[in-house]
Amino acid sequence: MPKSVDHGERRKEVVEATRRIILREGIEAATTRAIAREAGYSNGVLTHYFADKDDIMLSALRSSHRRIAARLRGRLAGHTGLSALRELLLDNLPLDDERTRESGLEIGFWSRSLTSPALLEAQRAEAEELRYLVRSLLGAAADAGEIATEEDLGDVAERLLALVDGLSVRRLLYPDRLGAERLERLLHTELDRLQPTSA
């Protein structure tokens, strides 16, 4: 009798192997040969469960985003408005080893997305969800009187996200100059500027 194979579990193993390689060695190291070896399968198994390498990479990207979202749900529990916004933005900064590796993975996907329509579409969809959440929390903070600005809140959201992206890249490039404490301070300073002067 043929051995029963759990197709979903096989896909998950390949995706996790891909993620491990990227976190450990960078996105360029995630060749199909390396992925198959890491997962303990032949290259043929990969082609059986995935359409192509981009399909594997897209699955790895989505898996990473799901992990981040699950962690973020825990961090945001009990927080609203400006407090929730702080937690959200801090969670997106490389302030510890786990988030530093995640930032490296995410940034690695940026360049690959420029040549892969499927990856670019996924990146844009995820980024739009994050932008919407930041904009919503800014609105809640403004309604609660926690922030006061004449600037369009959509523009504020874009600036905050650009700050997080920029600080993340610079932290990876210049870790001796931009430690975790400095990153936190820079983010807090930017958010403090939005608060009413009496706050």
Short mmCIF file of all heavy atoms in Angstrom, two decimals, residues 20 27 52 58 60 70 99 123 135 145 148 151 160 170 178:
data_model
loop_
_atom_site.label_atom_id
_atom_site.label_comp_id
_atom_site.label_asym_id
_atom_site.label_seq_id
_atom_site.Cartn_x
_atom_site.Cartn_y
_atom_site.Cartn_z
N ARG A 20 14.29 29.56 6.93
CA ARG A 20 15.50 29.38 7.75
C ARG A 20 16.75 29.80 6.97
O ARG A 20 17.64 30.46 7.52
CB ARG A 20 15.63 27.92 8.20
CG ARG A 20 14.70 27.51 9.31
CD ARG A 20 15.11 26.20 9.94
NE ARG A 20 15.22 25.10 8.99
CZ ARG A 20 14.23 24.30 8.64
NH1 ARG A 20 13.01 24.49 9.14
NH2 ARG A 20 14.43 23.31 7.80
N ILE A 27 18.76 36.13 1.25
CA ILE A 27 17.85 35.65 0.21
C ILE A 27 18.57 35.02 -0.97
O ILE A 27 18.07 34.10 -1.61
CB ILE A 27 16.91 36.80 -0.24
CG1 ILE A 27 15.70 36.22 -0.97
CG2 ILE A 27 17.66 37.83 -1.07
CD1 ILE A 27 14.56 37.19 -1.13
N ASP A 52 6.95 27.09 -9.08
CA ASP A 52 8.31 27.52 -9.43
C ASP A 52 8.95 28.12 -8.18
O ASP A 52 8.35 28.13 -7.09
CB ASP A 52 8.30 28.52 -10.59
CG ASP A 52 7.37 29.71 -10.34
OD1 ASP A 52 7.09 30.03 -9.16
OD2 ASP A 52 6.92 30.33 -11.33
N LEU A 58 7.32 33.31 -2.43
CA LEU A 58 6.10 34.00 -2.02
C LEU A 58 5.49 33.34 -0.79
O LEU A 58 5.05 34.02 0.14
CB LEU A 58 5.10 33.99 -3.18
CG LEU A 58 3.75 34.67 -2.94
CD1 LEU A 58 3.94 36.13 -2.55
CD2 LEU A 58 2.88 34.57 -4.19
N ALA A 60 7.14 31.70 1.47
CA ALA A 60 8.02 32.01 2.61
C ALA A 60 7.76 33.43 3.12
O ALA A 60 7.74 33.67 4.33
CB ALA A 60 9.48 31.85 2.20
N ALA A 70 0.95 37.53 14.07
CA ALA A 70 0.55 36.83 15.30
C ALA A 70 1.22 37.46 16.52
O ALA A 70 0.59 37.66 17.56
CB ALA A 70 0.90 35.35 15.20
N ARG A 99 13.78 40.25 15.39
CA ARG A 99 13.29 41.28 14.48
C ARG A 99 14.38 41.78 13.54
O ARG A 99 14.08 42.22 12.43
CB ARG A 99 12.67 42.44 15.28
CG ARG A 99 11.29 42.04 15.84
CD ARG A 99 10.69 43.14 16.67
NE ARG A 99 11.33 43.21 17.97
CZ ARG A 99 11.09 44.15 18.88
NH1 ARG A 99 10.24 45.12 18.61
NH2 ARG A 99 11.70 44.14 20.03
N GLN A 123 3.87 42.09 -1.68
CA GLN A 123 4.50 43.13 -0.85
C GLN A 123 3.60 44.35 -0.75
O GLN A 123 3.42 44.93 0.32
CB GLN A 123 5.86 43.54 -1.45
CG GLN A 123 6.96 42.52 -1.25
CD GLN A 123 7.58 42.60 0.14
OE1 GLN A 123 6.92 42.87 1.13
NE2 GLN A 123 8.85 42.34 0.23
N ARG A 135 -2.70 54.39 9.75
CA ARG A 135 -3.62 55.52 9.53
C ARG A 135 -4.82 55.44 10.48
O ARG A 135 -5.26 56.46 11.04
CB ARG A 135 -4.07 55.55 8.07
CG ARG A 135 -5.19 56.54 7.74
CD ARG A 135 -4.80 57.97 8.02
NE ARG A 135 -5.91 58.89 7.78
CZ ARG A 135 -6.90 59.14 8.63
NH1 ARG A 135 -6.94 58.53 9.82
NH2 ARG A 135 -7.84 60.00 8.32
N GLY A 145 -7.77 62.85 21.33
CA GLY A 145 -7.02 64.02 21.77
C GLY A 145 -5.58 63.72 22.14
O GLY A 145 -4.90 64.54 22.77
N ALA A 148 -2.20 66.04 18.04
CA ALA A 148 -2.78 67.25 17.47
C ALA A 148 -1.88 67.69 16.32
O ALA A 148 -0.72 68.02 16.54
CB ALA A 148 -2.88 68.34 18.52
N GLU A 151 -1.53 68.42 9.82
CA GLU A 151 -1.09 67.64 8.68
C GLU A 151 -2.10 66.52 8.37
O GLU A 151 -2.73 65.97 9.28
CB GLU A 151 0.29 67.03 8.99
CG GLU A 151 0.97 66.41 7.80
CD GLU A 151 2.36 65.88 8.15
OE1 GLU A 151 2.77 65.98 9.33
OE2 GLU A 151 3.02 65.36 7.25
N LEU A 160 5.76 58.12 8.99
CA LEU A 160 6.13 57.19 10.05
C LEU A 160 6.61 55.86 9.48
O LEU A 160 7.59 55.28 9.97
CB LEU A 160 4.94 56.96 10.99
CG LEU A 160 4.54 58.15 11.86
CD1 LEU A 160 3.23 57.86 12.59
CD2 LEU A 160 5.65 58.50 12.85
N ARG A 170 19.09 51.26 8.04
CA ARG A 170 20.30 51.84 8.61
C ARG A 170 20.79 51.03 9.82
O ARG A 170 22.00 50.92 10.03
CB ARG A 170 20.07 53.30 8.98
CG ARG A 170 19.81 54.17 7.74
CD ARG A 170 19.65 55.62 8.07
NE ARG A 170 20.90 56.22 8.51
CZ ARG A 170 21.90 56.57 7.69
NH1 ARG A 170 21.80 56.36 6.40
NH2 ARG A 170 23.00 57.12 8.19
N LEU A 178 23.72 52.73 15.25
CA LEU A 178 22.28 52.79 15.54
C LEU A 178 21.87 51.56 16.35
O LEU A 178 21.36 50.58 15.81
CB LEU A 178 21.48 52.86 14.24
CG LEU A 178 21.45 54.22 13.56
CD1 LEU A 178 20.89 54.10 12.16
CD2 LEU A 178 20.62 55.20 14.37
#
